[in-house]
């Protein structure tokens, strides 16, 4: 149980393109999803917390107009990197918590490797 | 903010040896978790700890939630080559937010 699917797993695109990443909870309903960014050989850095039906909460230093998050249903959250540039190249990972809330562990997707040329 | 100090940063061991890694924090967490991440993949939950003092095993893995709620350790017994990867500790707050350690990179030599 507690499977989180992330798509696509790998994206290569030109500078200036907008890229959408999907995060789905396959076998449970997720009221809260999280988006992380991970640079090589570093830990996960929380970008934003996404609650179903409400606006995402962004961590300090993360541009909300650059990284658009939509959590329209209990099983899907999307992250759109708008007008992506080479410095946005990174490994993006989502996670989800089920409807029972905070005491449950986060379950992670397999990540999306984004490469901007 | 709530910072986690994870050590060691990396370990190089021989197959069959036991491994120990730990995390400490100046803050109290409600839940401690240990994840393993393989290259190019997302972290996979190994063990979740919910009570201070709790000692939990998952196969060859054993983890404990420190009595002060500010630390946790993970032990791996009789390591095998597939144990290779990066191990992250994470402290979880009441609202579900997590803070991660910097990771321990484990290399197991056959």
């Amino acid at each position: 149980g507690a499977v989180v699917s992330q798509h696509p797993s790998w994206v290569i695109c030109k500078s200036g393109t907008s890229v959408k990443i999907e995060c789905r909870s396959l076998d449970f309903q997720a009221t809260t999803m999280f988006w992380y960014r991970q640079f090589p050989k570093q830990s996960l850095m929380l970008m934003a917390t996404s609650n179903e039906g409400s606006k995402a909460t962004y961590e300090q230093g993360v541009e909300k107009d650059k990284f658009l998050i939509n959590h329209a249903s209990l099983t899907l959250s999307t992250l759109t990197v708008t007008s992506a540039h080479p410095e946005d190249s990174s490994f993006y990972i989502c996670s989800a918590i089920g409807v029972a809330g905070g005491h449950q562990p986060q379950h992670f997707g397999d990540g999306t490797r984004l490469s901007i040329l | 903010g709530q910072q986690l100090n994870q050590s060691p940063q990396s370990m190089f061991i021989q197959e069959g040896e036991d491994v120990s890694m730990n995390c400490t924090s100046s803050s109290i967490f409600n839940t401690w978790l240990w994840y393993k991440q393989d290259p190019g993949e997302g972290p996979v939950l190994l063990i979740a700890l919910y009570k201070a003092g709790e000692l939990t095993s998952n196969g060859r893995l054993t983890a404990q939630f420190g009595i002060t709620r500010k630390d946790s350790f993970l032990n791996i017994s009789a390591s095998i080559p597939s144990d290779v990867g990066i191990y992250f500790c994470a402290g979880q707050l009441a609202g579900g937010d997590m803070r991660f350690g910097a990771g321990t990179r484990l290399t197991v030599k056959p």
Side-chain angles (χ1 to χ4, degrees):
Chain A
V3 176
V4 176
S5 173
Q6 196 171 333
H7 179 80
S9 56
W10 198 299
V11 181
I12 302 174
C13 58
K14 293 181 179 179
S15 186
T17 306
S18 291
V19 178
K20 180 185 282 190
I21 303 170
E22 293 185 348
C23 181
R24 295 180 184 274
S25 55
L26 296 186
D27 55 355
F28 67 103
Q29 292 184 323
T31 49
T32 306
M33 289 185 171
F34 303 84
W35 287 96
Y36 294 84
R37 186 172 179 175
Q38 187 178 33
F39 291 105
K41 297 187 178 181
Q42 293 190 20
S43 189
L44 287 78
M45 290 174 45
L46 181 65
M47 298 175 66
T49 302
S50 164
N51 290 297
E52 185 265 337
S54 62
K55 289 184 180 179
T57 302
Y58 290 81
E59 294 296 300
Q60 192 172 7
V62 178
E63 298 175 59
K64 61 180 181 181
D65 294 330
K66 173 77 172 177
F67 299 99
L68 300 178
I69 292 172
N70 184 282
H71 191 163
S73 78
L74 285 172
T75 59
L76 174 64
S77 176
T78 61
L79 168 69
T80 301
V81 183
T82 61
S83 187
H85 292 285
E87 59 267 27
D88 298 322
S89 298
S90 189
F91 193 52
Y92 293 86
I93 311 174
C94 71
S95 70
I97 288 181
V99 295
H103 213 54
Q104 298 182 68
Q106 294 181 23
H107 294 276
F108 287 85
D110 274 341
T112 296
R113 183 159 302 284
L114 176 62
S115 297
I116 309 298
L117 305 176
Chain B
Q2 297 95 346
Q3 300 289 333
L4 298 190
N5 300 307
Q6 184 172 349
S7 64
Q9 190 174 10
S10 60
M11 299 184 75
F12 296 84
I13 62 169
Q14 204 73 35
E15 182 178 358
E17 291 182 356
D18 297 343
V19 172
S20 184
M21 57 193 80
N22 69 84
C23 262
T24 61
S25 173
S26 58
S27 303
I28 290 174
F29 289 98
N30 292 338
T31 305
W32 279 93
L33 307 110
W34 286 90
Y35 290 86
K36 182 189 178 205
Q37 186 178 27
D38 290 328
E41 298 182 13
V44 173
L45 180 66
L46 299 175
I47 292 180
L49 302 156
Y50 300 102
K51 294 181 184 177
E54 179 181 352
L55 182 71
T56 298
S57 292
N58 178 8
R60 293 179 295 106
L61 278 60
T62 302
Q64 184 159 31
F65 190 148
I67 199 74
T68 64
R69 296 168 63 192
K70 293 182 179 181
D71 62 296
S72 177
F73 72 74
L74 174 71
N75 288 341
I76 305 173
S77 62
S79 58
I80 59 179
S82 61
D83 290 334
V84 165
I86 304 176
Y87 292 79
F88 290 101
C89 64
Q92 190 172 34
L93 303 168
D97 285 10
M98 291 203 304
R99 299 292 179 265
F100 284 86
T104 296
R105 186 178 297 271
L106 179 64
T107 302
V108 180
K109 292 179 282 187

